[in-house]
PDB file of all heavy atoms in Angstrom:
ATOM      1  N   LYS A 275       3.573   8.742  16.716  1.00  0.00           N
ATOM      2  CA  LYS A 275       4.053   9.856  17.527  1.00  0.00           C
ATOM      3  C   LYS A 275       3.538  11.194  17.004  1.00  0.00           C
ATOM      4  O   LYS A 275       3.163  12.054  17.886  1.00  0.00           O
ATOM      5  CB  LYS A 275       5.655   9.768  17.527  1.00  0.00           C
ATOM      6  CG  LYS A 275       6.289  10.883  18.370  1.00  0.00           C
ATOM      7  CD  LYS A 275       7.788  10.629  18.323  1.00  0.00           C
ATOM      8  CE  LYS A 275       8.473  11.612  19.205  1.00  0.00           C
ATOM      9  NZ  LYS A 275      10.010  11.398  19.243  1.00  0.00           N
ATOM     10  N   GLU A 276       3.430  11.394  15.696  1.00  0.00           N
ATOM     11  CA  GLU A 276       3.149  12.690  15.101  1.00  0.00           C
ATOM     12  C   GLU A 276       1.675  12.857  14.889  1.00  0.00           C
ATOM     13  O   GLU A 276       1.238  14.042  15.002  1.00  0.00           O
ATOM     14  CB  GLU A 276       3.933  12.922  13.791  1.00  0.00           C
ATOM     15  CG  GLU A 276       5.349  12.779  13.834  1.00  0.00           C
ATOM     16  CD  GLU A 276       5.931  13.984  14.713  1.00  0.00           C
ATOM     17  OE1 GLU A 276       5.246  15.118  14.639  1.00  0.00           O
ATOM     18  OE2 GLU A 276       7.032  13.848  15.294  1.00  0.00           O
ATOM     19  N   ASN A 277       0.923  11.916  14.669  1.00  0.00           N
ATOM     20  CA  ASN A 277      -0.465  11.975  14.320  1.00  0.00           C
ATOM     21  C   ASN A 277      -1.470  11.235  15.164  1.00  0.00           C
ATOM     22  O   ASN A 277      -2.353  11.872  15.695  1.00  0.00           O
ATOM     23  CB  ASN A 277      -0.626  11.427  12.830  1.00  0.00           C
ATOM     24  CG  ASN A 277      -2.053  11.817  12.338  1.00  0.00           C
ATOM     25  OD1 ASN A 277      -2.726  12.668  12.803  1.00  0.00           O
ATOM     26  ND2 ASN A 277      -2.484  11.062  11.331  1.00  0.00           N
ATOM     27  N   VAL A 278      -1.246   9.870  15.404  1.00  0.00           N
ATOM     28  CA  VAL A 278      -2.196   9.116  16.065  1.00  0.00           C
ATOM     29  C   VAL A 278      -2.371   9.541  17.598  1.00  0.00           C
ATOM     30  O   VAL A 278      -3.457   9.790  17.986  1.00  0.00           O
ATOM     31  CB  VAL A 278      -1.910   7.645  15.947  1.00  0.00           C
ATOM     32  CG1 VAL A 278      -2.830   6.796  16.692  1.00  0.00           C
ATOM     33  CG2 VAL A 278      -1.898   7.202  14.486  1.00  0.00           C
ATOM     34  N   LEU A 279      -1.296   9.397  18.305  1.00  0.00           N
ATOM     35  CA  LEU A 279      -1.403   9.695  19.745  1.00  0.00           C
ATOM     36  C   LEU A 279      -1.893  11.093  20.079  1.00  0.00           C
ATOM     37  O   LEU A 279      -2.746  11.288  20.947  1.00  0.00           O
ATOM     38  CB  LEU A 279      -0.064   9.410  20.437  1.00  0.00           C
ATOM     39  CG  LEU A 279       0.037   9.577  22.040  1.00  0.00           C
ATOM     40  CD1 LEU A 279      -1.045   8.769  22.678  1.00  0.00           C
ATOM     41  CD2 LEU A 279       1.405   9.389  22.494  1.00  0.00           C
ATOM     42  N   PRO A 280      -1.356  12.196  19.441  1.00  0.00           N
ATOM     43  CA  PRO A 280      -1.776  13.494  19.768  1.00  0.00           C
ATOM     44  C   PRO A 280      -3.320  13.675  19.465  1.00  0.00           C
ATOM     45  O   PRO A 280      -4.088  14.313  20.298  1.00  0.00           O
ATOM     46  CB  PRO A 280      -1.068  14.396  18.754  1.00  0.00           C
ATOM     47  CG  PRO A 280       0.241  13.657  18.473  1.00  0.00           C
ATOM     48  CD  PRO A 280      -0.187  12.208  18.528  1.00  0.00           C
ATOM     49  N   ARG A 281      -3.909  13.020  18.395  1.00  0.00           N
ATOM     50  CA  ARG A 281      -5.263  13.159  18.141  1.00  0.00           C
ATOM     51  C   ARG A 281      -6.125  12.414  19.195  1.00  0.00           C
ATOM     52  O   ARG A 281      -7.180  12.946  19.651  1.00  0.00           O
ATOM     53  CB  ARG A 281      -5.587  12.618  16.683  1.00  0.00           C
ATOM     54  CG  ARG A 281      -4.905  13.324  15.563  1.00  0.00           C
ATOM     55  CD  ARG A 281      -5.766  14.502  15.060  1.00  0.00           C
ATOM     56  NE  ARG A 281      -6.977  14.102  14.538  1.00  0.00           N
ATOM     57  CZ  ARG A 281      -7.166  13.575  13.323  1.00  0.00           C
ATOM     58  NH1 ARG A 281      -6.111  13.446  12.502  1.00  0.00           N
ATOM     59  NH2 ARG A 281      -8.428  13.285  12.931  1.00  0.00           N
ATOM     60  N   ILE A 282      -5.642  11.235  19.555  1.00  0.00           N
ATOM     61  CA  ILE A 282      -6.385  10.402  20.533  1.00  0.00           C
ATOM     62  C   ILE A 282      -6.428  11.194  21.833  1.00  0.00           C
ATOM     63  O   ILE A 282      -7.389  11.260  22.531  1.00  0.00           O
ATOM     64  CB  ILE A 282      -5.828   9.025  20.602  1.00  0.00           C
ATOM     65  CG1 ILE A 282      -5.891   8.331  19.404  1.00  0.00           C
ATOM     66  CG2 ILE A 282      -6.453   8.289  21.804  1.00  0.00           C
ATOM     67  CD1 ILE A 282      -5.250   6.941  19.308  1.00  0.00           C
ATOM     68  N   SER A 283      -5.215  11.608  22.269  1.00  0.00           N
ATOM     69  CA  SER A 283      -5.102  12.314  23.618  1.00  0.00           C
ATOM     70  C   SER A 283      -5.893  13.560  23.670  1.00  0.00           C
ATOM     71  O   SER A 283      -6.595  13.836  24.716  1.00  0.00           O
ATOM     72  CB  SER A 283      -3.606  12.758  23.819  1.00  0.00           C
ATOM     73  OG  SER A 283      -2.792  11.649  23.859  1.00  0.00           O
ATOM     74  N   GLU A 284      -5.967  14.326  22.563  1.00  0.00           N
ATOM     75  CA  GLU A 284      -6.801  15.539  22.554  1.00  0.00           C
ATOM     76  C   GLU A 284      -8.302  15.103  22.806  1.00  0.00           C
ATOM     77  O   GLU A 284      -8.983  15.794  23.470  1.00  0.00           O
ATOM     78  CB  GLU A 284      -6.611  16.180  21.194  1.00  0.00           C
ATOM     79  CG  GLU A 284      -7.452  17.466  21.003  1.00  0.00           C
ATOM     80  CD  GLU A 284      -7.229  18.144  19.645  1.00  0.00           C
ATOM     81  OE1 GLU A 284      -6.750  17.454  18.743  1.00  0.00           O
ATOM     82  OE2 GLU A 284      -7.681  19.289  19.524  1.00  0.00           O
ATOM     83  N   GLN A 285      -8.744  14.083  22.105  1.00  0.00           N
ATOM     84  CA  GLN A 285     -10.091  13.736  22.300  1.00  0.00           C
ATOM     85  C   GLN A 285     -10.418  13.257  23.750  1.00  0.00           C
ATOM     86  O   GLN A 285     -11.409  13.508  24.191  1.00  0.00           O
ATOM     87  CB  GLN A 285     -10.463  12.546  21.252  1.00  0.00           C
ATOM     88  CG  GLN A 285     -11.871  12.053  21.329  1.00  0.00           C
ATOM     89  CD  GLN A 285     -12.960  13.076  21.123  1.00  0.00           C
ATOM     90  OE1 GLN A 285     -12.790  13.954  20.416  1.00  0.00           O
ATOM     91  NE2 GLN A 285     -14.055  12.846  21.843  1.00  0.00           N
ATOM     92  N   VAL A 286      -9.475  12.459  24.196  1.00  0.00           N
ATOM     93  CA  VAL A 286      -9.628  11.933  25.567  1.00  0.00           C
ATOM     94  C   VAL A 286      -9.735  13.215  26.604  1.00  0.00           C
ATOM     95  O   VAL A 286     -10.622  13.154  27.425  1.00  0.00           O
ATOM     96  CB  VAL A 286      -8.492  11.052  25.970  1.00  0.00           C
ATOM     97  CG1 VAL A 286      -8.579  10.677  27.433  1.00  0.00           C
ATOM     98  CG2 VAL A 286      -8.455   9.805  25.121  1.00  0.00           C
ATOM     99  N   VAL A 287      -8.849  14.086  26.468  1.00  0.00           N
ATOM    100  CA  VAL A 287      -8.855  15.242  27.410  1.00  0.00           C
ATOM    101  C   VAL A 287     -10.144  16.095  27.224  1.00  0.00           C
ATOM    102  O   VAL A 287     -10.805  16.492  28.214  1.00  0.00           O
ATOM    103  CB  VAL A 287      -7.637  16.041  27.204  1.00  0.00           C
ATOM    104  CG1 VAL A 287      -7.700  17.393  28.059  1.00  0.00           C
ATOM    105  CG2 VAL A 287      -6.351  15.302  27.666  1.00  0.00           C
ATOM    106  N   ASN A 288     -10.537  16.388  25.958  1.00  0.00           N
ATOM    107  CA  ASN A 288     -11.620  17.320  25.649  1.00  0.00           C
ATOM    108  C   ASN A 288     -12.978  16.731  25.979  1.00  0.00           C
ATOM    109  O   ASN A 288     -13.902  17.505  26.204  1.00  0.00           O
ATOM    110  CB  ASN A 288     -11.559  17.748  24.268  1.00  0.00           C
ATOM    111  CG  ASN A 288     -10.389  18.722  23.968  1.00  0.00           C
ATOM    112  OD1 ASN A 288      -9.820  19.313  24.879  1.00  0.00           O
ATOM    113  ND2 ASN A 288      -9.930  18.752  22.682  1.00  0.00           N
TER     114      ASN A 288
END
Side-chain angles (χ1 to χ4, degrees):
K275 185 176 182 180
E276 297 297 330
N277 186 23
V278 176
L279 181 58
R281 297 273 298 278
I282 297 174
S283 298
E284 181 183 14
Q285 176 59 30
V286 172
V287 171
N288 290 338

